[in-house]
Amino acid sequence: TEDVFHLGDSITLCIDEVRFLPHNASVCKISGRLFDHNFKVLHGTSDISAVPDLDSPLLSPKFSFQTTIRCSNFPKTSVLMLKLYTIDTISLSLHLIGTTLIELFHSTATGMQPEEILSLNSDNYKYSDEENKIRYSSPRNMKYESEQDEVILNQGAHQLSWSVGAPDVRMQLTSSSMLGFNTYP
């Protein structure tokens, strides 16, 4: 069985390579942030900024990036958003190649990214620091308790596509928020 992720645990993020950049790309950079499902930046986390190794190929640059991310309370719906930028060799302007999202956790019950039961009524949301419990009540009086839905870290190597564009900030942020966008490559 995989280890359950607990409050206070940290996450190590490594970026090793970006492949198949467009032919008009020059130097590139990856920037990123951790968000909850409401696009709120996770308190206590810093921005991610990764540049490629200087001796790596231009269109498939290698990275030696590693950072440890610590947060006193990672929400179960935490999503890492990474954006890939380059300087266009034709226009000499900064260009967003794409955005990718990855969920940090999987539910031990479903194997999928945990979902919050959301409501427009803030009375349906209750959080207690002392008990470390999150409870939601939907209009049908359904309850969600964090103890019942343990999470494991979405660990391992991931090969992700870059989606052209960015997710809609008016919608809930999940790893599937970029579905339907064109991808590169």
Side-chain angles (χ1 to χ4, degrees):
T1 64
E2 299 184 64
D3 291 334
V4 172
F5 194 85
H6 300 284
L7 287 179
D9 288 353
S10 62
I11 296 170
T12 300
L13 172 68
C14 302
I15 300 175
D16 62 355
E17 184 177 18
V18 172
R19 301 187 320 169
F20 312 119
L21 290 178
H23 291 288
N24 61 331
S26 63
V27 65
C28 69
K29 176 183 176 180
I30 296 174
S31 65
R33 279 193 167 165
L34 282 166
F35 295 95
D36 70 4
H37 65 279
N38 289 321
F39 279 93
K40 197 192 285 181
V41 177
L42 297 189
H43 180 70
T45 61
S46 58
D47 290 347
I48 295 162
S49 181
V51 293
D53 300 338
L54 291 176
D55 59 348
S56 65
L58 185 64
L59 299 181
S60 291
K62 307 259 189 253
F63 290 73
S64 299
F65 179 81
Q66 180 175 332
T67 188
T68 300
I69 303 167
R70 290 183 175 83
C71 182
S72 59
N73 188 11
F74 283 104
K76 293 177 182 190
T77 58
S78 298
V79 175
L80 173 63
M81 180 186 299
L82 296 174
K83 293 186 176 188
L84 175 62
Y85 296 94
T86 189
I87 301 292
D88 187 300
T89 58
I90 298 168
S91 68
L92 301 179
S93 62
L94 184 64
H95 179 72
L96 173 65
I97 293 176
T99 305
T100 193
L101 303 172
I102 185 167
E103 69 272 9
L104 294 186
F105 304 107
H106 286 170
S107 165
T108 57
T110 65
M112 305 292 288
Q113 180 179 11
E115 294 181 2
E116 302 290 356
I117 299 173
L118 300 176
S119 170
L120 296 175
N121 184 348
S122 62
D123 294 335
N124 293 341
Y125 172 75
K126 293 182 175 59
Y127 178 74
S128 170
D129 275 326
E130 301 83 30
E131 297 177 357
N132 187 26
K133 293 181 181 178
I134 303 173
R135 289 193 174 97
Y136 297 90
S137 298
S138 75
R140 295 184 185 139
N141 295 323
M142 294 172 60
K143 290 187 178 177
Y144 174 89
E145 293 192 27
S146 62
E147 305 91 17
Q148 296 174 351
D149 191 18
E150 292 182 325
V151 294
I152 55 174
L153 184 64
N154 183 12
Q155 60 187 350
H158 301 279
Q159 183 174 337
L160 305 170
S161 295
W162 297 97
S163 298
V164 179
D168 186 348
V169 297
R170 297 170 294 173
M171 304 296 289
Q172 182 175 345
L173 181 65
T174 67
S175 61
S176 60
S177 295
M178 300 296 290
L179 291 179
F181 284 74
N182 292 331
T183 58
Y184 186 87

